[in-house]
Amino acid sequence: MGCEQLRYPAAAGYEPDVRFWPKADMTRLFLYSCFRHYHRLRSGGDMRRQEKAEPVCILNYLAVIALCGLANLAGLPAALGQPALTGSQSDALNAYNKTVQDFRSILRERRAQIDAKQKLPDKPGQDLYLARVAMMGAYKDLTDVLPSRIGRPNKYRIPPAYFDADNEPLVDEYKNLFRIMQAPPADAQKSDTPFKDVVDLGTVLARVKGLDAAHAEVAGRISLAVFYAETDGNQNIGNARSNAYKGSFQTGVSEDKIGQKKWAAIKKSVAAIDPKLSARDDKEEARVGNSDQRYNHWTAVRNGLMNAHADLFPKIPAIMKALPDPIDQMRFFELIQIIPSPAKAALNSGNLLNYRISEPRIMGYLRNNSMFAYGKADRAKTSATMREILDSMWLFNDIFDRALAKFGEIKAQQKG
């Protein structure tokens, strides 16, 4: 999640096996398989693993089969001594179970296609993305009507009301498939120092724009965060949800060209401030030649920063004042990547956090990038303040934490 961003209207949209009752519940009496419903696995369980059945009471076995065959699971809690589910709770549970099955199914389908080296559909990641969004949205609908289903924290730092930690293996597979589908092309030109490159470029651009050393360092940190948010920290990748956005900063052809022109206009100033970096740039320019600069890590990052972010670097002191939390600063610059005009309008309004966005098209872009996308309550929002939008970017939390950690490593190496 985090290497799947999409910003264009054409893709807007919104987007197995046997499980056993945990020992703490019913396996003291029997084990059974039910293909009709989605039953929670104990943590870390394998859906395909057949377990050795314990001695059973045939009457209990038949009783549970009857419960599963008759139903939605509304009557089962009562059989376990718990209050029966209401109609809305049962409907939400059944809807969630279906989305889990659908997500699992599309993951298996794509994995089978990849393993068989079959031709993948156009934008092969979009169906996976929509299935994941549907699953998380249905889970939020379920926990809204049945708060007792909110479980333990998960390794992706997704709020537990939106995600069942037992489904972590599904998201692991989701990320693995995206990694395969978005692999760099064979002729991509990688860097041996991809993270340092991003920090160095962001820092020197900020200095050219007139920032002091401390604020230029913040620009380097923010640049690294955007790289992580766009690619999950992977250089030269494709995009399994778009045919337009590619490379280390996920730019389109026109955005990359704009970045090239802006860089050319300041190249002499860069050389005056940092001759070594300018020499590196000359080397990469010669290396990429007439090829797509989005598939050379250095030029892709350089052009991406010049296109969308460098012009805002002089405003970093004001942004830091309005958004003292470094994570919020990172979120804001990622919004510049997703909805540049509204984000800039909010910044220029003089009341950044209370600036309200209500245009349906922009709300659609936000939802297509995992904001206000999960559950009926979130999707019913027709407008949001910038504060609400920043808070809705919780899916980026883990990504930005990793960016911060990597930035700390780079600065420590420079000082050491």
Side-chain angles (χ1 to χ4, degrees):
M1 299 178 297
C3 54
E4 55 178 27
Q5 308 315 315
L6 205 58
R7 302 183 296 281
Y8 68 111
Y14 296 95
E15 20 179 329
D17 303 339
V18 177
R19 283 200 165 195
F20 295 94
W21 293 106
K23 296 276 187 184
D25 294 330
M26 301 294 286
T27 48
R28 294 173 182 169
L29 301 177
F30 53 82
L31 285 170
Y32 76 100
S33 62
C34 173
F35 288 88
R36 181 169 178 176
H37 299 101
Y38 169 82
H39 302 292
R40 288 170 59 92
L41 271 177
R42 61 178 62 87
S43 177
D46 185 337
M47 297 174 293
R48 295 164 292 186
R49 186 182 63 221
Q50 298 293 330
E51 299 194 22
K52 183 177 179 182
E54 299 174 4
V56 303
C57 169
I58 191 64
L59 292 179
N60 285 334
Y61 183 95
L62 294 174
V64 169
I65 289 179
L67 282 170
C68 275
L70 284 174
N72 53 59
L73 296 177
L76 196 51
L80 298 176
Q82 301 174 7
L85 298 182
T86 66
S88 62
Q89 290 171 337
S90 179
D91 289 345
L93 177 59
N94 289 335
Y96 170 63
N97 291 340
K98 183 180 184 304
T99 62
V100 175
Q101 296 285 15
D102 290 345
F103 187 40
R104 190 176 284 114
S105 176
I106 189 63
L107 290 174
R108 285 175 169 168
E109 177 184 331
R110 200 65 80 240
R111 171 59 70 179
Q113 291 170 333
I114 290 171
D115 290 349
K117 295 180 168 48
Q118 296 176 2
K119 180 177 174 59
L120 299 181
D122 185 45
K123 291 178 265 193
Q126 184 70 354
D127 288 343
L128 277 66
Y129 169 80
L130 296 177
R132 178 183 64 77
V133 169
M135 180 186 74
M136 292 174 60
Y139 191 68
K140 182 58 165 62
D141 289 338
L142 175 60
T143 59
D144 280 347
V145 298
L146 193 63
S148 62
R149 281 298 298 260
I150 298 176
R152 69 184 186 279
N154 56 83
K155 68 181 182 181
Y156 291 109
R157 295 187 59 202
I158 301 171
Y162 290 82
F163 183 69
D164 184 346
D166 285 350
N167 288 327
E168 285 178 354
L170 299 183
V171 176
D172 292 342
E173 172 68 349
Y174 173 88
K175 290 171 71 69
N176 289 336
L177 291 173
F178 264 89
R179 194 170 293 115
I180 294 169
M181 295 185 294
Q182 298 185 155
D187 59 350
Q189 297 175 338
K190 72 173 187 176
S191 169
D192 293 332
T193 55
F195 306 107
K196 182 176 181 296
D197 291 353
V198 179
V199 174
D200 288 349
L201 282 164
T203 302
V204 78
L205 289 177
R207 291 174 63 194
V208 169
K209 295 294 182 177
L211 291 184
D212 60 25
H215 288 108
E217 182 174 302
V218 172
R221 167 171 56 76
I222 288 171
S223 300
L224 185 63
V226 175
F227 171 56
Y228 265 87
E230 290 295 307
T231 69
D232 207 25
N234 299 299
Q235 58 178 315
N236 294 328
I237 66 171
N239 190 319
R241 294 182 58 214
S242 167
N243 295 324
Y245 299 106
K246 309 292 181 183
S248 292
F249 244 64
Q250 291 293 287
T251 50
V253 172
S254 62
E255 295 169 334
D256 187 72
K257 296 294 185 184
I258 291 170
Q260 291 182 43
K261 291 179 180 178
K262 288 184 175 181
W263 173 260
I266 66 166
K267 179 65 186 291
K268 290 183 179 179
S269 298
V270 171
I273 290 176
D274 193 333
K276 183 178 179 181
L277 185 142
S278 181
R280 166 73 185 279
D281 184 70
D282 291 340
K283 178 181 177 182
E284 295 297 338
E285 283 273 8
R287 182 186 181 198
V288 73
N290 294 323
S291 300
D292 189 341
Q293 291 199 358
R294 296 177 300 166
Y295 284 125
N296 171 291
H297 175 70
W298 177 273
T299 56
V301 171
R302 181 199 73 189
N303 298 341
L305 286 172
M306 287 302 304
N307 170 68
H309 303 283
D311 287 343
L312 285 180
F313 283 170
K315 296 189 177 183
I316 281 179
I319 292 170
M320 293 176 67
K321 184 176 180 180
L323 302 172
D325 183 350
I327 298 296
D328 275 345
Q329 297 161 19
M330 296 174 178
R331 290 169 175 164
F332 178 76
F333 272 89
E334 177 58 15
L335 286 178
I336 293 294
Q337 191 84 355
I338 298 169
I339 50 167
S341 295
K344 292 174 184 177
L347 180 61
N348 294 330
S349 71
N351 193 3
L352 175 61
L353 292 178
N354 290 320
Y355 185 87
R356 182 169 291 275
I357 291 173
S358 57
E359 185 180 344
R361 180 176 60 94
I362 303 303
M363 293 297 290
Y365 291 165
L366 294 175
R367 289 194 171 93
N368 208 37
N369 285 274
S370 298
M371 288 161 267
F372 309 119
Y374 305 105
K376 296 175 182 177
D378 280 359
R379 291 183 62 82
K381 290 183 71 69
T382 58
S383 69
T385 65
M386 187 59 65
R387 177 69 271 170
E388 290 171 329
I389 293 170
L390 294 172
D391 289 342
S392 76
M393 297 177 73
W394 40 260
L395 203 60
F396 292 87
N397 288 348
D398 175 67
I399 294 169
F400 289 151
D401 279 347
R402 286 188 282 122
L404 271 176
K406 179 60 68 173
F407 181 76
E409 291 176 15
I410 292 170
K411 300 312 292 183
Q413 291 170 359
Q414 291 175 343
K415 293 176 181 178

